[in-house]
Amino acid sequence: MELIFATNNAHKVDELRAVLPAGFRILSLKEAGIFQDIPEPFDSLRENAREKARVIHELTGRDCFSEDTGLEVAALGGAPGVHSARYAGDDRSPSANTDKLLRELDGATDRSARFRTIICLCLAGTYHEFEGICPGRISANPQGTGGFGYDPVFVPDGGDGRTFAEMTLAEKGRFSHRRKALDKLVAFLTINP
Ligand code: IMP
């Protein structure tokens, strides 16, 4: 089965391809010949994911899925959450968001956090949602050079203390929010092809 993945983020595409079971194929927006940004105008992951799937389905008429992800930090009342991409404002430098997060958590004893992903599938014009959560904690300092976004400061529960940015794609896939949501999507499509 082939689905368009409504994202322009190559890291997300690579992560899902690394764990996708045989029989499933995903096409990035570029590979599907779509060269446009997709808006994320809402205050919830659910609404943003659905909007991205809706835009691409209306554009192509094809089955597709999208995802929206947020980092929810307990000591910050769940922030940055749905605002994770622009936590440090319009400064798009790779470390601006993580630098701000580490400043906000300076001296905090509770560094627990979780990534939460909502995947929205549009199948024959009907929408279905799947959630994946990865609990963990924010490290004292950035560690590692792999991955993207907040990976250098996120240590998943159940691992060996390394951040996501110190792991291979397959290792991150063993813990990740995105992988857990994908597993639910695949299970759904296996029963509803
Ligand atoms: P979005 O889902 O593309 O809107 O991502 C929101 C923000 O969270 C962006 O700053 C991403 O870089 C970051 N982000 C999303 N997924 C991950 C992840 O798996 N690891 C680290 N950061 C992530």
Side-chain angles (χ1 to χ4, degrees), residues 71-77 79-80 87 98-113 137-140 153:
L71 176 66
E72 300 173 340
V73 180
L76 303 178
Y87 189 43
T98 50
D99 288 350
K100 176 170 179 190
L101 181 61
L102 293 178
R103 275 198 310 277
E104 296 285 332
L105 286 181
D106 193 23
T109 46
D110 179 4
R111 302 183 73 89
S112 62
R137 65 181 167 80
I138 305 301
S139 59
V153 296

Side-chain angles (χ1 to χ4, degrees), residues 7 9 11-12 15 40 45 48 52 67-71 80-87 92 94 97-98 115-118 147-154 164-165 172 176-178:
T7 184
N9 183 327
H11 293 282
K12 292 183 178 181
E15 276 188 19
E40 294 182 349
L45 300 177
N48 281 336
K52 290 189 254 190
E67 68 96 88
D68 203 35
T69 295
L71 176 66
V82 69
H83 304 295
S84 295
R86 294 184 184 273
Y87 189 43
R92 306 296 278 178
N97 286 333
T98 50
F115 274 115
R116 194 158 67 87
T117 289
I118 302 288
F148 71 105
Y150 296 90
D151 278 351
V153 296
F154 187 83
F164 273 159
K172 180 177 175 183
S176 103
H177 40 296
R178 187 164 296 110

Side-chain angles (χ1 to χ4, degrees), residues 30-47:
K30 256 193 216 153
E31 289 162 342
I34 300 160
F35 299 91
Q36 70 174 60
D37 271 341
I38 324 178
E40 294 182 349
F42 295 108
D43 269 340
S44 77
L45 300 177
R46 207 161 236 122
E47 288 170 295

